[in-house]
Amino acid sequence: MTDKSSSAASAPPSKEDVVTEFRRRSIIEAARRVFGERGFEQATVEAIAEASAVAKGTVYLYYPSKQAIYEATFAAGMAELGRLILERVEQAATAREAIQAFVAVRAEYFQQHPDFFRIYVAEFARQVAASGTLRGASQQALDRQTRALKKVIARAVASGEIRPVDAGAAALAVFDMSKGLVARHLLIGSKASASRDIEFLTDLIWTGLQPARGQKK
Amino acid sequence: MTDKSSSAASAPPSKEDVVTEFRRRSIIEAARRVFGERGFEQATVEAIAEASAVAKGTVYLYYPSKQAIYEATFAAGMAELGRLILERVEQAATAREAIQAFVAVRAEYFQQHPDFFRIYVAEFARQVAASGTLRGASQQALDRQTRALKKVIARAVASGEIRPVDAGAAALAVFDMSKGLVARHLLIGSKASASRDIEFLTDLIWTGLQPARGQKK
Amino acid sequence: MTDKSSSAASAPPSKEDVVTEFRRRSIIEAARRVFGERGFEQATVEAIAEASAVAKGTVYLYYPSKQAIYEATFAAGMAELGRLILERVEQAATAREAIQAFVAVRAEYFQQHPDFFRIYVAEFARQVAASGTLRGASQQALDRQTRALKKVIARAVASGEIRPVDAGAAALAVFDMSKGLVARHLLIGSKASASRDIEFLTDLIWTGLQPARGQKK
Amino acid sequence: MTDKSSSAASAPPSKEDVVTEFRRRSIIEAARRVFGERGFEQATVEAIAEASAVAKGTVYLYYPSKQAIYEATFAAGMAELGRLILERVEQAATAREAIQAFVAVRAEYFQQHPDFFRIYVAEFARQVAASGTLRGASQQALDRQTRALKKVIARAVASGEIRPVDAGAAALAVFDMSKGLVARHLLIGSKASASRDIEFLTDLIWTGLQPARGQKK
DNA sequence: GATGAATGAGCCTTCATTCAT
DNA sequence: TATGAATGAAGGCTCATTCAT
């Protein structure tokens, strides 16, 4: 009765699958808005349901709890961002470009998805609050993002292009600065200077990573 | 009954004032612990009252709402931290030392007050979430902290000690990195390498601020 | 296609009727398990549907509500039990045997259908709770069961075999005791002594019904 | 500040204690009505709160959960009933009177507290449903009630006043019959014949317990 | 001032029932 | 006829805030 004529071995997506996928995505998108605007605690499942144009009970057909919606929302955003970072960083021709790409892609993504940025920051805060407890999934997501940058830096160190620094620590520094950059832009709303700030950061870091001339510390 | 024999125009602290001050301080300290451990939403006024050894109703004699307690708690910590930063940055003999002092004093303060750090991060997230709304008080507090650093950098730029960069942007970069540093230490718990990380950051930034040799971007 | 060769005027069961009957029976059986295990309120229509291997919506094609399923389930069990009681009590040669049969058949039936016993007891409680409200169907079912016993006792009274007691009241007493007996066995799980208890009860009642010797009340 | 002038070593009940006790009692009484009328599941905490003229939240100051209210309500009734049974059974001069007292006191108590009787029956059903699980507290309460009767019967057996029967089993039989008696009265509402029924039961049992004349089974 | 009992609004979650396919 | 996705009412419980003592 449902079409089964599929040549691919993997998955002949039935109509139900499509609907289900549509709903899940729609709920996640609504949740992104609601969680982004109100934070986890202030967000209500009712609001998420409304925002995705379904009844409250329907939400629970797709996610078992408010917490689960939140996690799925966070994970979805992180996965997308991670994919973009990987893509752009790997495409970069030079180490400098890779750093710039890293900062830029994060800035762009968060600029385009301010709701998600709020979730992202809140989740970060939550992690700090839970201090030493779980940290599992979201920590891994962060790790995956910096890993690409770290690899680039390590390679540049090896090639002598930049001075011998701890690649991980340097990557994290870039990471932190790009986060601050986005936060400030979202807070203040000055979208104009985004590219200038990106360039500034890249330059600051790149210069900071240059091989020493003569005197050092 | 209370002493009224005061010559100064400002404030002859009566016994009531002293008690009031004591209570307010005690509540703030309790709130720091409670908010730090549970976050704003999960924290209960009851818990704060218990932690400061007064009845719930008493808390409301000193602060009009849970929100107000939170704000006062945040403000108190920020004020203290700001004082320390100013002190240490101004004492620094050189620009490099000032930067290092900035990073170090923040790292130390947050390390000593992890509860406050959690509040600090959460408040940051909250600001981002409220995006464009209030931002008033807490933003000012942050400004005050970076201002000292910015001044130092601006002076170093003027003296030619470092290359001509946007002092404000540079200060914020240092600010962001130091925040990330503390967060990671609290999350992972590796207290040992704090000084090494501080030194790394200082070095990275300082190098990044050096006058260009020949080639640049 | 379906056999229409029926001489009786009543019902030539069409294929639809058969399927319908099958479904209804299957749902009732599933409901007996589910209601028995969880009680009315905790039981879900979903669980009943699953247990009878149909979709939730299908259940509503055969019964208009959860309440209706419950009632049908109760009625079905009561009807079956009633049939058994009638059969065995009428077969009994003597009044004593009739009493024993009454107790025994109830004990056996409930022992074999513990799920139904739970429904039975719950329904009893529900009746008491609804006090004076419905009472219709289930009360009649109970009446029918005791009626057989009552008739036997009345006859024995008439024949002088036992002393002149209120046959209805005596029947109810037997009824109550047998219920308690089963309940205790199900609660405690001591299946071994069932026959001993039955014998004890029969003896107690039988003796209690003996014509007075000399002194009475 | 509060009066501490109490000579008794045990407990100088402060005003708070009195208020607390009053509230707890008032909630229990309201709960008895509500649970009695609707059953556990259909009863709402809101309704209990209303019935005891407090706000919903207040109920939770005195009992941690709906379940806890229920248990306390049941326990309170059982304790009171148990006390009455003990009292009356012990006062009885003869075994026959003790049996009669047992039946009568239960009938009276339940007649006076029909709401509690509904809870009592429902709890019984619930026990059967939970079959083999906990059974703790409420089972003990029942045990305590039959124990008094059992003792009387055992003594009568020992003195040869009645024939040698299993005292426990006989007590339970009386127990079951008295429960059925009450249930029927509540269901049908015929209050008039209560004493007649009590007398009938007592007579039936008493006769049933008489030493055998000649022939037995 | 200090207390803590009382309040009641608010929210997550479940599930009987409906209905489009 | 059979399905199961969608609905939305309902209720237990928490907790910020108030207020009588």
Side-chain angles (χ1 to χ4, degrees):
Chain A
M1 220 175 220
T2 58
D3 87 307
K4 296 239 154 100
S5 58
S6 129
S7 53
S10 59
S14 69
K15 197 170 60 178
E16 284 77 38
D17 289 345
V18 172
V19 171
T20 292
E21 190 47 34
F22 169 76
R23 282 270 193 252
R24 293 182 67 95
R25 216 181 276 284
S26 145
I27 290 169
I28 288 297
E29 275 161 27
R32 185 182 272 208
R33 287 199 296 281
V34 175
F35 283 133
E37 278 165 24
R38 312 192 197 172
F40 179 79
E41 324 267 4
Q42 291 303 322
T44 68
V45 174
E46 175 74 52
I48 295 172
E50 266 173 36
S52 61
V54 295
K56 206 174 1 171
T58 305
V59 171
Y60 282 90
L61 294 178
Y62 296 92
Y63 294 96
S65 69
K66 181 184 176 183
Q67 182 66 37
I69 304 171
Y70 180 80
E71 280 161 18
T73 305
F74 180 72
M78 287 303 276
E80 193 178 359
L81 174 56
R83 228 176 301 122
L84 290 173
I85 289 178
L86 207 66
E87 214 176 282
R88 295 269 292 270
V89 167
E90 285 181 347
Q91 279 176 4
T94 67
R96 196 187 196 285
E97 273 175 28
I99 291 171
Q100 180 154 28
F102 184 88
V103 176
V105 78
R106 280 170 55 90
E108 281 163 23
Y109 187 80
F110 285 136
Q111 210 96 55
Q112 282 159 25
H113 303 287
D115 286 332
F116 178 66
F117 183 67
R118 288 184 203 108
I119 294 174
Y120 174 82
V121 173
E123 179 59 20
F124 180 78
R126 178 175 277 231
Q127 295 294 327
V128 172
S131 214
T133 320
L134 23 158
R135 254 181 347 102
S138 89
Q139 190 55 40
Q140 286 180 11
L142 294 176
D143 285 351
R144 225 173 300 130
Q145 293 189 13
T146 32
R147 193 143 36 216
L149 185 61
K150 181 181 168 183
K151 226 189 288 180
V152 169
I153 294 176
R155 218 177 292 140
V157 167
S159 76
E161 195 177 4
I162 62 176
R163 64 195 176 99
V165 295
D166 179 330
L172 288 171
V174 177
F175 186 84
D176 292 336
M177 290 190 300
S178 69
K179 183 163 124 187
L181 183 157
V182 173
R184 237 162 282 117
H185 276 265
L186 250 60
L187 273 173
I188 304 175
S190 65
K191 297 182 181 181
S193 55
S195 63
R196 189 186 335 182
D197 283 356
I198 293 170
E199 179 51 38
F200 172 76
L201 277 193
T202 310
D203 181 49
L204 182 66
I205 282 293
W206 186 249
T207 307
L209 292 174
Q210 288 308 296
R213 268 175 302 179
Q215 88 295 9
K216 244 183 327 191
K217 170 184 181 194
Chain B
M1 223 181 212
T2 58
D3 84 307
K4 296 231 154 106
S5 59
S6 121
S7 52
S10 59
S14 68
K15 195 169 64 179
E16 284 75 35
D17 288 346
V18 172
V19 170
T20 292
E21 191 48 35
F22 170 76
R23 283 270 197 249
R24 293 181 69 95
R25 213 182 278 283
S26 146
I27 290 169
I28 288 299
E29 273 161 28
R32 182 183 277 207
R33 286 199 297 280
V34 175
F35 283 132
E37 277 164 25
R38 313 192 196 172
F40 179 78
E41 322 271 1
Q42 294 301 322
T44 65
V45 174
E46 175 74 51
I48 294 171
E50 264 174 39
S52 63
V54 295
K56 204 169 13 163
T58 306
V59 171
Y60 281 88
L61 294 177
Y62 295 94
Y63 294 96
S65 70
K66 182 184 175 184
Q67 182 65 38
I69 304 171
Y70 181 80
E71 280 160 17
T73 304
F74 180 72
M78 287 303 277
E80 192 178 0
L81 174 56
R83 230 175 298 123
L84 290 174
I85 289 178
L86 209 65
E87 211 176 287
R88 295 269 293 267
V89 167
E90 286 181 345
Q91 280 176 4
T94 68
R96 194 185 198 284
E97 272 175 30
I99 292 172
Q100 179 155 28
F102 184 87
V103 176
V105 78
R106 279 169 55 91
E108 279 162 24
Y109 186 79
F110 285 137
Q111 209 97 56
Q112 281 160 27
H113 304 287
D115 286 333
F116 179 66
F117 183 67
R118 286 183 205 111
I119 293 173
Y120 174 80
V121 172
E123 179 57 21
F124 178 77
R126 175 174 279 230
Q127 295 294 325
V128 172
S131 213
T133 319
L134 26 155
R135 248 178 357 97
S138 90
Q139 189 56 38
Q140 286 179 14
L142 294 177
D143 285 351
R144 223 171 301 128
Q145 293 188 15
T146 34
R147 193 143 36 217
L149 185 61
K150 182 181 169 184
K151 224 187 289 179
V152 169
I153 293 176
R155 217 177 294 141
V157 167
S159 77
E161 194 179 5
I162 62 176
R163 63 196 177 100
V165 295
D166 178 332
L172 287 170
V174 177
F175 184 83
D176 292 335
M177 289 190 299
S178 69
K179 182 163 126 188
L181 183 156
V182 174
R184 238 163 278 119
H185 275 265
L186 250 59
L187 273 173
I188 305 176
S190 65
K191 298 182 180 181
S193 54
S195 62
R196 190 185 335 183
D197 284 358
I198 293 170
E199 179 51 36
F200 172 77
L201 277 193
T202 310
D203 180 48
L204 182 67
I205 282 293
W206 186 248
T207 306
L209 294 174
Q210 288 310 297
R213 267 174 301 179
Q215 90 293 9
K216 241 185 328 193
K217 172 178 177 195
Chain C
M1 221 177 212
T2 59
D3 87 308
K4 298 236 151 110
S5 59
S6 123
S7 52
S10 59
S14 69
K15 194 169 64 177
E16 283 75 37
D17 288 346
V18 172
V19 171
T20 293
E21 190 47 34
F22 169 76
R23 283 270 195 250
R24 293 182 68 95
R25 214 182 277 282
S26 147
I27 290 169
I28 288 299
E29 273 162 28
R32 182 184 277 208
R33 286 199 298 279
V34 176
F35 283 133
E37 277 165 25
R38 313 193 197 172
F40 179 79
E41 322 272 1
Q42 293 302 322
T44 66
V45 175
E46 176 74 52
I48 294 171
E50 265 173 38
S52 62
V54 296
K56 205 169 14 162
T58 307
V59 172
Y60 281 88
L61 295 177
Y62 295 93
Y63 294 97
S65 70
K66 181 185 176 184
Q67 182 65 38
I69 304 171
Y70 182 80
E71 279 161 16
T73 304
F74 180 72
M78 288 302 276
E80 192 179 359
L81 175 56
R83 228 176 300 125
L84 290 175
I85 289 178
L86 208 65
E87 214 177 283
R88 295 267 296 267
V89 168
E90 287 181 344
Q91 279 176 5
T94 68
R96 194 184 198 283
E97 272 175 29
I99 291 172
Q100 179 154 30
F102 183 87
V103 176
V105 78
R106 280 170 54 92
E108 280 162 25
Y109 187 79
F110 285 136
Q111 209 97 57
Q112 281 160 27
H113 303 287
D115 285 334
F116 179 67
F117 183 67
R118 287 185 204 107
I119 294 173
Y120 174 81
V121 172
E123 179 58 20
F124 179 78
R126 175 175 280 229
Q127 295 293 327
V128 172
S131 214
T133 320
L134 25 156
R135 239 173 11 91
S138 91
Q139 189 56 38
Q140 286 179 13
L142 294 177
D143 285 351
R144 223 173 301 129
Q145 292 188 16
T146 33
R147 192 142 37 215
L149 185 61
K150 181 180 169 185
K151 223 187 291 180
V152 169
I153 293 176
R155 216 177 294 141
V157 167
S159 77
E161 194 178 6
I162 61 177
R163 63 196 176 102
V165 295
D166 178 332
L172 288 172
V174 177
F175 184 84
D176 292 336
M177 290 190 299
S178 70
K179 182 163 126 190
L181 183 156
V182 174
R184 238 162 279 120
H185 276 266
L186 249 61
L187 274 173
I188 305 177
S190 64
K191 298 181 180 181
S193 55
S195 62
R196 190 185 335 183
D197 284 357
I198 293 169
E199 178 51 36
F200 172 77
L201 278 193
T202 310
D203 180 49
L204 182 66
I205 283 294
W206 187 249
T207 306
L209 293 175
Q210 289 309 297
R213 269 175 299 179
Q215 89 294 10
K216 239 184 324 191
K217 170 186 177 186
Chain D
M1 223 173 219
T2 56
D3 86 307
K4 297 236 155 97
S5 59
S6 127
S7 52
S10 58
S14 68
K15 196 170 60 178
E16 284 77 37
D17 289 345
V18 172
V19 171
T20 292
E21 190 46 35
F22 169 77
R23 283 271 193 249
R24 293 183 68 95
R25 215 181 277 282
S26 145
I27 290 169
I28 288 297
E29 273 161 27
R32 184 182 273 208
R33 286 199 297 280
V34 175
F35 283 133
E37 278 164 24
R38 311 192 196 172
F40 179 79
E41 323 268 2
Q42 292 302 321
T44 67
V45 174
E46 175 74 53
I48 294 172
E50 266 172 37
S52 61
V54 294
K56 205 175 2 169
T58 305
V59 172
Y60 283 90
L61 294 178
Y62 295 92
Y63 294 96
S65 69
K66 181 185 176 183
Q67 182 66 38
I69 303 171
Y70 180 80
E71 279 161 17
T73 305
F74 181 72
M78 287 302 277
E80 192 178 359
L81 174 55
R83 227 175 303 124
L84 290 174
I85 289 178
L86 208 65
E87 212 175 285
R88 296 268 294 265
V89 168
E90 286 181 346
Q91 280 175 3
T94 68
R96 194 184 197 286
E97 273 174 29
I99 291 172
Q100 179 154 28
F102 183 87
V103 176
V105 79
R106 280 170 54 91
E108 280 162 25
Y109 187 78
F110 286 137
Q111 210 95 56
Q112 281 159 25
H113 304 286
D115 286 332
F116 179 66
F117 184 67
R118 288 183 203 109
I119 293 174
Y120 174 80
V121 173
E123 179 60 20
F124 179 78
R126 177 175 276 230
Q127 296 293 327
V128 172
S131 215
T133 320
L134 21 159
R135 253 179 349 101
S138 90
Q139 189 56 40
Q140 286 179 12
L142 295 176
D143 286 351
R144 225 171 302 129
Q145 293 189 14
T146 33
R147 194 143 35 216
L149 185 61
K150 181 179 167 184
K151 224 188 293 181
V152 169
I153 294 176
R155 217 176 295 140
V157 168
S159 76
E161 194 178 4
I162 63 176
R163 63 197 176 99
V165 295
D166 179 331
L172 287 171
V174 177
F175 185 84
D176 292 336
M177 290 189 300
S178 68
K179 182 162 126 188
L181 182 158
V182 174
R184 237 163 281 120
H185 276 266
L186 250 60
L187 274 173
I188 304 176
S190 65
K191 298 183 180 180
S193 54
S195 63
R196 189 186 336 184
D197 284 356
I198 294 169
E199 180 50 38
F200 172 75
L201 276 194
T202 310
D203 179 49
L204 182 65
I205 282 293
W206 186 248
T207 307
L209 293 175
Q210 288 310 297
R213 268 175 303 181
Q215 90 295 8
K216 241 182 327 189
K217 171 189 175 189

